[in-house]
Amino acid sequence: DAKTTQPPSMDCAEGRAANLPCNHSTISGNEYVYWYRQIHSQGPQYIIHGLKNNETNEMASLIITEDRKSSTLILPHATLRDTAVYYCIVSLANNYGQNFVFGPGTRLSVLP
Amino acid sequence: ETGVTQSPTHLIKTRGQQVTLRCSSQSGHNTVSWYQQALGQGPQFIFQYYREEENGRGNFPPRFSGLQFPNYSSELNVNALELDDSALYLCASTVGGTQYFGPGTRLLVL
């Protein structure tokens, strides 16, 4: 079973920030939080990951609570192309041995 | 671009047949993982290969098998196909703990 809980769906107006929550209350100290998205029938696309600190890249920001039991992915200015299923995953970060356990994710619809 | 390619993009087989799906990743990517994604669900882990050895397996029967080659390509083989094997099959190569996925192969079993 996935170690994360996400809302099944969310809507966001184009141009506004999309804030996607994820609960991971059983995360262990050496597990990272990863975010991926999947646009219809394509392979999942890596967005961002983090351990404790907030992270930002050209795609998104990741806010992790101090107790690490939840996180939020922020798309600062959502566009129609951001419509996708977003997956939050917790996993060790090494080059072998770990597999990603995907839940059903959050289906984000960006509305014009 | 992830540098991970898969072939073929689509495939139709009949029940009982065998299928081989292929994946190619970038030089130096020693770990490859395979996932099955049924319609409307998240990907499910099948198995992982590290330096040509199986290094972890999900809850899939032995008729799902794989190979990894020295040139960073890999194969997923499925024998005795069943209707429920119809799915999107994804491979991913791992770099620094992050998995980068290919575009997938969509398999339809009739």
Side-chain angles (χ1 to χ4, degrees):
Chain A
D1 290 344
K3 296 179 67 174
T4 61
T5 307
Q6 300 176 252
S9 64
M10 293 181 63
D11 292 339
C12 177
E14 188 178 18
R16 304 299 289 267
N19 297 288
L20 291 90
C22 179
N23 288 321
H24 31 80
S25 58
T26 62
I27 191 170
S28 62
N30 55 356
E31 286 183 316
Y32 284 69
V33 180
Y34 289 85
W35 283 84
Y36 284 76
R37 72 181 183 184
Q38 190 172 27
I39 297 170
H40 182 63
S41 291
Q42 298 178 18
Q45 178 189 21
Y46 167 76
I47 301 174
I48 199 167
H49 74 284
L51 182 64
K52 298 180 186 177
N53 300 322
N54 298 336
E55 302 287 344
T56 296
N57 63 20
E58 64 278 5
M59 289 183 68
S61 295
L62 173 60
I63 309 298
I64 303 173
T65 58
E66 193 169 342
D67 63 7
R68 302 211 322 125
K69 293 185 177 181
S70 65
S71 61
T72 301
L73 178 74
I74 301 172
L75 307 177
H77 305 286
T79 71
L80 299 179
R81 292 185 178 182
D82 293 322
T83 293
V85 178
Y86 287 76
Y87 297 101
C88 169
I89 302 159
V90 297
S91 181
L92 300 173
N94 54 46
N95 278 322
Y96 55 89
Q98 98 276 30
N99 71 82
F100 282 175
V101 180
F102 287 80
T106 295
R107 182 171 298 277
L108 175 69
S109 297
V110 180
L111 307 175
Chain B
E1 291 297 325
T2 65
V4 181
T5 60
Q6 293 187 243
S7 63
T9 56
H10 295 81
L11 200 53
I12 299 175
K13 291 285 189 179
T14 56
R15 193 169 48 182
Q17 285 189 311
Q18 178 266 343
V19 69
T20 297
L21 309 181
R22 294 181 173 83
C23 172
S24 180
S25 57
Q26 291 183 359
S27 175
H29 292 199
N30 294 321
T31 304
V32 65
S33 304
W34 285 90
Y35 291 81
Q36 180 196 66
Q37 186 174 23
L39 202 60
Q41 298 181 18
Q44 288 196 14
F45 175 70
I46 302 175
F47 46 56
Q48 182 183 83
Y49 278 79
Y50 175 68
R51 293 187 174 175
E52 302 168 46
E53 298 284 335
E54 187 177 295
N55 189 48
R57 189 178 186 92
N59 188 27
F60 281 81
R63 60 189 185 85
F64 286 78
S65 63
L67 286 171
Q68 186 185 27
F69 303 101
N71 64 354
Y72 306 104
S73 66
S74 65
E75 290 181 354
L76 165 65
N77 298 289
V78 187
N79 293 323
L81 283 166
E82 301 177 358
L83 297 180
D84 285 349
D85 295 333
S86 295
L88 180 68
Y89 288 86
L90 298 158
C91 76
S93 67
T94 299
V95 179
T98 298
Q99 295 193 19
Y100 296 93
F101 287 82
T105 294
R106 183 160 298 281
L107 172 65
L108 178 60
V109 182
L110 302 177

